[in-house]
Amino acid sequence: MKLSASEDDLGSDIHVPADIDWHMLDKSKFFFLGAALFSGVSAGLYPAMVLKTRQQVSSTQISCFKMSFSIMRCEGLRGFYRGFGTTLMGTIPARALYMGALEVTKTSVGSSTVRLGFSDTTATAIASAAAGLSSAMAAQLVWTPIDVVSQRLMVQAPNASPCRYKNGLDAFRKILFADGFKGLYRGFGISMLTYAPSNAVWWASYSVANKLIYGGLGWSDNIRRSESKATAVAVQGLSAAMASGVSALITTPLDTIKTRLQVLDKEENGVRKPLTMLQTVRNLVKESGLAACYRGLGPRWASMSLSATTMITTYELLKRLSTKNQES
């Protein structure tokens, strides 16, 4: 998305306002502040994730409004934060891997694409897509086990007797005991197929949308460098929302299949066994046809848009806060 200022020597200027690259960052401050800022973002957006997950595993179509009302009536506000503690524990290492891979890949690939003579927009899109792909793959090493545990807590009936999982640690222990290490990585393959392309599409779409908005405003590079912070945030937020819409439409079916693989089981002779991907797809199609693959699209789109808009503005703020002092 952003390449270093040294690329001006190559005759290419593909900057978004106030470029800050990997080598300009105080790494300890970057990761520490990133963990704090993104934990706050996760807390604000978590209820939408609970709604999305429950819609995806439901055998019937239930609207967001009915689902929200049911959770609030039966479980109270706490119901919207089931599994949040587990998610928060995973957010810190996962975000560290994500941001590190994102910045390193974006800088290295961006420099290479400029040297190969690609146009500004194409070079930006390629660098952003590659960065999104590598960062998602790195983060999934941590995020998949957290996803498996937190999603099971999300959909667990509040008054189930006996309670299947008492908390995140109990769920982790029982899954490990019942299915072994592979149980914690259930759906890892399709998680990669979901989040890696989703991130690549998002970052590429974001960079192109950013360029198009500035181009539509008719702003030159000099004007963009001197623009106000409020204008930069507005453009970043709009670009993020547009990119989220594209990404959500393309990847929601994979996300629905992934969620069901990680949460639902089948019973054979009283023994719980994980579903295969083919069985999961067949069950979905049998329930409501291909439309079932888009269950949870509304909350997912809303969550992705809000998350992306908040994330990109927080991310840019984080990079500004983490920039090394010029004197050093």
Side-chain angles (χ1 to χ4, degrees):
M1 185 172 65
K2 305 184 186 76
L3 305 182
S4 66
S6 62
E7 305 306 336
D8 286 341
D9 298 336
L10 299 173
S12 295
D13 182 19
I14 59 176
H15 300 285
V16 179
D19 293 341
I20 300 172
D21 287 322
W22 181 246
H23 68 278
M24 300 166 63
L25 297 174
D26 180 328
K27 308 304 186 296
S28 59
K29 187 185 292 185
F30 180 67
F31 288 123
F32 178 77
L33 289 176
L37 288 171
F38 285 113
S39 293
V41 171
S42 298
L45 299 172
Y46 195 77
M49 297 303 297
V50 173
L51 281 175
K52 175 205 71 107
T53 301
R54 292 200 182 191
Q55 281 189 316
Q56 288 178 333
V57 300
S58 174
S59 59
T60 58
Q61 183 68 40
I62 303 175
S63 69
C64 292
F65 177 78
K66 288 183 178 178
M67 182 75 76
S68 300
F69 181 77
S70 175
I71 293 173
M72 183 60 74
R73 185 186 61 184
C74 300
E75 306 171 51
L77 187 62
R78 183 179 178 183
F80 289 99
Y81 283 90
R82 285 188 172 276
F84 179 66
T86 301
T87 299
L88 192 60
M89 290 290 289
T91 293
I92 297 173
R95 284 293 183 188
L97 282 171
Y98 185 94
M99 292 186 295
L102 182 73
E103 284 301 316
V104 170
T105 305
K106 191 165 53 177
T107 299
S108 58
V109 174
S111 301
S112 299
T113 52
V114 169
R115 292 193 183 94
L116 289 173
F118 286 98
S119 67
D120 291 356
T121 302
T122 303
T124 306
I126 292 173
S128 299
L133 190 70
S134 65
S135 58
M137 293 175 70
Q140 280 307 307
L141 294 172
V142 174
W143 200 249
T144 296
I146 299 300
D147 229 10
V148 170
V149 173
S150 64
Q151 286 180 151
R152 293 198 182 196
L153 292 171
M154 284 181 197
V155 302
Q156 182 172 252
N159 298 317
S161 183
C163 183
R164 190 175 180 189
Y165 304 120
K166 297 177 182 178
N167 50 48
L169 186 60
D170 183 56
F172 180 89
R173 182 179 60 80
K174 287 180 177 176
I175 293 169
L176 194 62
F177 179 77
D179 302 324
F181 192 69
K182 68 178 182 179
L184 294 170
Y185 277 89
R186 185 190 291 191
F188 179 72
I190 197 166
S191 291
M192 285 291 196
L193 289 175
T194 301
Y195 292 122
S198 176
N199 267 268
V201 168
W202 191 93
W203 280 103
S205 300
Y206 172 81
S207 64
V208 171
N210 206 278
K211 285 276 188 182
L212 291 175
I213 292 172
Y214 279 116
L217 292 172
W219 285 9
S220 67
D221 291 336
N222 289 333
I223 296 175
R224 286 162 59 183
R225 287 193 180 100
S226 61
E227 69 180 330
S228 67
K229 290 182 180 179
T231 303
V233 168
V235 172
Q236 290 163 0
L238 180 58
S239 300
M242 292 168 63
S244 297
V246 174
S247 184
L249 283 172
I250 293 173
T251 60
T252 291
L254 287 172
D255 187 61
T256 301
I257 296 168
K258 174 198 74 72
T259 301
R260 288 196 161 209
L261 274 174
Q262 292 178 331
V263 172
L264 300 181
D265 294 313
K266 63 180 179 179
E267 282 200 16
E268 289 184 3
N269 301 321
V271 179
R272 286 181 176 272
K273 292 184 178 180
L275 291 165
T276 65
M277 188 183 300
L278 184 59
Q279 289 170 331
T280 302
V281 174
R282 282 177 178 170
N283 290 343
L284 271 170
V285 174
K286 189 184 297 183
E287 287 171 13
S288 304
L290 292 176
C293 294
Y294 278 92
R295 280 186 187 155
L297 174 62
R300 186 166 189 256
W301 191 330
S303 174
M304 284 183 69
S305 296
L306 289 170
S307 175
T309 302
T310 308
M311 182 273 291
I312 198 65
T313 52
T314 303
Y315 184 64
E316 296 297 341
L317 171 64
L318 170 63
K319 289 175 73 175
R320 293 176 195 278
L321 293 175
S322 304
T323 305
K324 296 175 183 177
N325 292 330
Q326 292 298 319
E327 295 178 356
S328 62

